[in-house]
Amino acid sequence: MTPTPYPVTEIVAAQRPHRKDAARNYDALLVAAREAFAENGAEASLEDIARRAGVGIGTLYRNFPTRRHLFESVYAAEVDELVRVAQQVAALEPWEALTTWLRRFTDYMVTKRAVREALDDESETFLACRESMYAAGGPLFERAQAAGTARTDMDFGDLLRLFAGVTGTTVTDDAQRDRLLAIALDGVRGGR
């Protein structure tokens, strides 16, 4: 059985350099940018990102000619990771698969919030990311619904908005965030 091709996976693969050293620098820049955006928002310093990645600013600009290109690439890499997680957990019990994916989704929301205002909802990358996220995560939710472990009076879009809302609030610490996520999951759980 061949894995489902997701538009975002194709975009990420096309952007990533083929030469090993260039690919290593590209990957390091994405990790550094994700961290910097999570800490400092969309205005994170490009010089700081290059420094964190252990490369010069010229290497950053060779890979990401504009700040917007960097935003879209980080965003696409995050969604591509969500797709991979959905594929990895697909064989788990329906509720466990869904909750594992949703926990990764909440991590992704940190990056999305940081770059949200820089993304164009109509760009090819944004639309491919949305399509891929729904195609990868939607079946996990539908499987949990079919198994009776997730509510059937909501759809996948409702689920994503619920968790985006929970993760969009300011929390005092990780323990509070975990409590809020547990409460949201209890609200999604079916069989009541």
Side-chain angles (χ1 to χ4, degrees):
M1 184 168 143
T2 356
T4 306
Y6 294 93
V8 71
T9 302
E10 294 169 6
I11 288 172
V12 169
Q15 290 175 345
R16 192 167 187 268
H18 297 291
R19 243 182 44 234
K20 283 185 182 183
D21 61 330
R24 203 172 26 254
N25 288 342
Y26 181 88
D27 293 342
L29 284 163
L30 285 179
V31 168
R34 182 174 44 246
E35 291 169 358
F37 293 148
E39 290 171 17
N40 305 309
E43 296 306 313
S45 159
L46 296 181
E47 290 80 10
D48 178 50
I49 291 169
R51 188 174 31 261
R52 287 178 189 227
V55 301
I57 193 72
T59 300
L60 183 142
Y61 280 114
R62 254 190 315 283
N63 284 283
F64 310 103
T66 66
R67 182 178 280 271
R68 179 186 167 94
H69 188 197
L70 180 59
F71 288 149
E72 285 191 351
S73 297
V74 168
Y75 183 66
E78 284 287 292
V79 173
D80 192 48
E81 177 62 22
L82 280 172
V83 166
R84 279 195 299 271
V85 169
Q87 292 168 330
Q88 292 165 358
V89 303
L92 297 175
E93 292 297 319
W95 183 250
E96 184 182 357
L98 178 63
T99 58
T100 301
W101 188 84
L102 283 170
R103 289 188 189 288
R104 179 57 183 92
F105 175 79
T106 60
D107 294 339
Y108 143 84
M109 285 305 298
V110 172
T111 302
K112 183 180 180 194
R113 272 194 313 279
V115 300
R116 180 69 184 111
E117 62 266 4
L119 295 173
D120 174 5
D121 288 358
E122 299 302 316
S123 77
E124 178 184 331
T125 300
F126 184 85
L127 295 173
C129 287
R130 179 180 169 83
E131 178 185 336
S132 297
M133 188 173 8
Y134 274 70
L140 297 175
F141 182 57
E142 291 165 6
R143 217 172 113 229
Q145 287 177 313
T149 57
R151 301 172 70 119
T152 57
D153 61 345
M154 62 189 298
D155 63 23
F156 188 64
D158 296 335
L159 180 72
L160 294 184
R161 284 177 183 80
L162 172 66
F163 278 82
V166 168
T167 60
T169 62
T170 304
V171 295
T172 56
D173 56 24
D174 289 343
Q176 184 181 39
R177 184 194 67 232
D178 292 343
R179 274 193 313 279
L180 292 173
L181 291 174
I183 292 165
L185 284 171
D186 283 346
V188 172
R189 194 178 265 289
R192 297 194 174 127

